[in-house]
Amino acid sequence: MTNPILQLYKVLELEKKRHYRDDAVLGGFAEFARQWQVAALAAATDARQKAWVQKTAATLSAYSQLTPAARPQTIREILTELRQLHSAPPPAPPPAQPRRKKSPPAPQPGQGLLAPLTVLPGIGPKLAATLARLRLYQVQDLLWHLPTRYLDYSRLQQIKDLRAGEQVTIKATVWGLKSRRLSRNRVLTTVTLTDATGTIRATFWNPYIQRLLRPEHTYFFSGKVGIFRDQRVLESPEFEPASDDPTHTARIVPIYPLTEGLSARVLRKHIRAVVEKWAPQLPDPLPPAMRQRLGFPVLGEALRQVHFPDDAASLELARRRLAFDELLIIQLGVLSQHRAWQELPAQPLSLDDSTLADFLTALPFQLTGAQQRVLADIRRDIARPYPMTRLLQGDVGSGKTVIAAAAMWAAVANGAQAALTAPTEILAEQHFRKFQTLFAQLLHPQRGWPLRVDLLTGSVTGQQRQNVLDAMAAGDSDILIGTHALIQENVRFRRLALIVIDEQHRFGVQQRAALREKGAAFSREGTNTPHTLVMSATPIPRTLALTIYGDMDVSAIDELPPGRQPIKTYWIKPGARNRVYQFIRDQVHAGRQAFIIYPLVDESEHLENVKAAVAEHQRLQSKVFPDLKVGLLHGRLSGKEKDAIMRGFARGEYHILVSTAVVEVGIDIPNASVMLIENADRFGLAQLHQFRGRVGRGPHASYCILVSDPKSDDGRRRMQAMEQSNDGFELAEIDLTMRGPGEFFGTRQSGLPDLRLARLSDTRLLEIARREAEQLIDRDPQLTQPQHQLLARRITEFWTQKMDLS
């Protein structure tokens, strides 16, 4: 009963996290209880467990009718029973019977796919323990243990046509076998194979091969053709008796993840047995009309073709079908979250043209067309009585902050407050100074006095901190700028109507979810949920925006302000490094500053020719720039140490700053004109573009120099793309295609879904899934119609594992 127990535990913990609102699962606990009861009863092993399942399902079915005060106690009681049930000893086994050879037990009624692997012929406790290392415990786990790649042995060839170096399949008869002992533990067996066109030898190091291959019998052999003593030879090929339906040869052969002690043949044999028996019996979660409209096979056939495809076309169609299922479930989940978010109340923030004109007049520049378009989106969102949840993305220097300031002005103009969170103290201080300067020119539309902007970071302490907290709670302060600590501490506003999150991906998924949960609790007055605006300086490809940020509306500022100089980018080989050093010296003598970026903090014996910041800082300071001041910044420094170094660089105390990737998110240094990136091929395009954005923020011509000697075609293409394009959106799409979503942000992003077959670079399939999900939710918002209930169950299973993708 492990799986239903674990699933219920995760759902209940999520309900606690979401403050007992009956929205931890799609459709609420009443729908979840009905579906969970079926699976739990099937997995229950005795009458006591079955009785508990029925009682718990009845309690959950009535959960929505409980008062808010009664819900926490109900959840606590079920969790307590869950722990007791899960830790209770199993019933005593029956008395031992006399040992006798017998066939493996068949699955118990109701177990089916949930049965342990030991019910399958040929899988005993020892093999089951080996399979468990691959997290394969039940029959259904084998069904969903999908191939990672394939070998195409489907084209039969004649022996006379074989060429060295090719992967081939032949149908041949064993003519003879000869074994030779080369050492105590090594036996080489040479097998002569023949067909109507010729003869070839196959070599095996398997000492038992003579028991497996019988002379004058015909087999399929698949493997690579080598050359030994000027003769063609098959080196340890796969083989099996010739038949109309082979498993290991003469077809497109699946290659699965393995573990020590498990051979590919054994695993493939057991998976095929499970696929043939169980795949045709699987219920299909896709509504028949949708499946037929999209031209997809039924689920069972898709699984069969993914494991053991008839041909390449059938494999691709099956892969698309299963990938579509994954993307559809994600889209249904994020769209449901989006709709649930919009059901919460929020204070409408109207911003009329006259009030907006006051703000625009205070700006020393005019908004670009892209900024005006995005501002119109936000004005429309925040004027509604439900909370905005919008992602604002734009290239470095595109002017996202001024749009956020306009939204905050709207909150103040409606008698409310706004807050902005930044990932570091130094960035928070930079925003604070900018907003102080901007809003000092404006008077409060209702009160007639200057706006009050406050700063709250870890460095604001004592009475000064208490004064800020008191001012926010009393409503005397209009705008609060701080780090994400302001969402974790007991900060209270009188009427918080808007939250802006800067540099979204540095906050992480859990912090963003926490901010949403705490939104209404921030305010002393009313229960309105604040509008949320998330700003990302990393341009995000559309496919990622539809998944990681799928519950948000997305706006993009895809136009830079006029007059901003493009940064000149050059790719050089390591041998030209000294010329770059001289160029940096010339720039410093002209009054500029420079960054030098390294991929590592310390040197690694496992990574040859990859430079590290600490050692290179010492070399640069002592040997290359002994007359200049060279600073060092890396991730092992404390937050205060990093902020102090960045402040010193901003004040001109260092001519050159040596850093690791931590400088990717940093403050404006208008005087910096050179960005030198060592081992540039070790970074993704999106990250390289962020580094480049650290310079070019002042009136001076700026340069980005990539030092790299990439050994791969992808590495060379990344360098060429950086030289040719300054467009962050274009580079982001290239980066996603080349490196995959898992590395898009430079490190694994916890919000990325763990997908078996879907590729987030498949824009077309994702857009189809988005369209189908929107239509489905329009017709059946809670997925309660009979044809949608299996799909609803799949969504619940996925989202209880992923918790909050957004």
Side-chain angles (χ1 to χ4, degrees), residues 155-164 166 168-176 191-202 217-227 231-234 237:
R155 188 170 70 89
L156 281 176
Q157 294 178 254
Q158 295 179 322
I159 290 177
K160 71 179 180 66
D161 298 325
L162 302 186
R163 300 288 181 267
E166 293 180 338
V168 302
T169 297
I170 60 173
K171 183 178 180 181
T173 300
V174 175
W175 189 254
V191 182
T192 302
L193 307 175
T194 183
D195 68 6
T197 69
T199 300
I200 191 172
R201 286 182 297 170
H217 283 67
T218 301
Y219 300 83
F220 289 126
F221 295 88
S222 295
K224 187 175 182 179
V225 181
I227 295 291
Q231 297 291 318
R232 297 172 303 168
V233 62
L234 284 175

Side-chain angles (χ1 to χ4, degrees), residues 117-118 122-132:
L117 291 177
T118 49
I123 299 184
K126 183 177 180 181
L127 180 54
T130 301
L131 292 169

Side-chain angles (χ1 to χ4, degrees), residues 248-389:
H248 310 287
T249 61
R251 65 173 309 126
I252 298 177
V253 178
I255 305 298
Y256 297 98
L258 297 172
T259 186
E260 185 179 357
L262 180 65
S263 74
R265 291 179 70 94
V266 168
L267 180 59
R268 196 180 295 128
K269 178 188 74 172
H270 287 299
I271 288 178
R272 183 158 195 187
V274 169
V275 168
E276 290 181 348
K277 175 176 176 57
W278 289 104
Q281 302 179 45
L282 283 178
D284 196 329
L286 286 193
M290 180 190 297
R291 188 181 68 243
Q292 293 165 10
R293 181 171 63 253
L294 298 175
F296 286 143
V298 296
L299 177 61
E301 176 63 11
L303 266 176
R304 189 182 74 81
Q305 292 293 341
V306 160
H307 281 287
F308 298 96
D310 293 338
D311 49 52
S314 299
L315 171 60
E316 177 57 20
L317 182 60
R319 188 203 70 79
R320 285 181 64 81
R321 158 65 211 261
L322 297 181
F324 173 82
D325 285 14
E326 293 180 311
L327 296 175
L328 179 68
I329 286 171
I330 291 174
Q331 291 307 307
L332 287 169
V334 294
L335 288 172
S336 296
Q337 286 192 13
H338 191 220
R339 296 200 178 198
W341 185 244
Q342 291 183 336
E343 290 174 359
L344 300 174
Q347 179 182 349
L349 304 176
S350 61
L351 183 60
D352 59 53
D353 292 342
S354 174
T355 307
L356 176 59
D358 292 340
F359 174 82
L360 296 177
T361 303
L363 299 177
F365 52 82
Q366 289 189 336
L367 298 183
T368 64
Q371 287 175 310
Q372 293 176 26
R373 183 183 69 247
V374 170
L375 181 54
D377 291 341
I378 293 172
R379 287 178 69 186
R380 182 178 63 252
D381 283 358
I382 60 179
R384 295 166 175 162
Y386 53 83
M388 170 182 72
T389 171

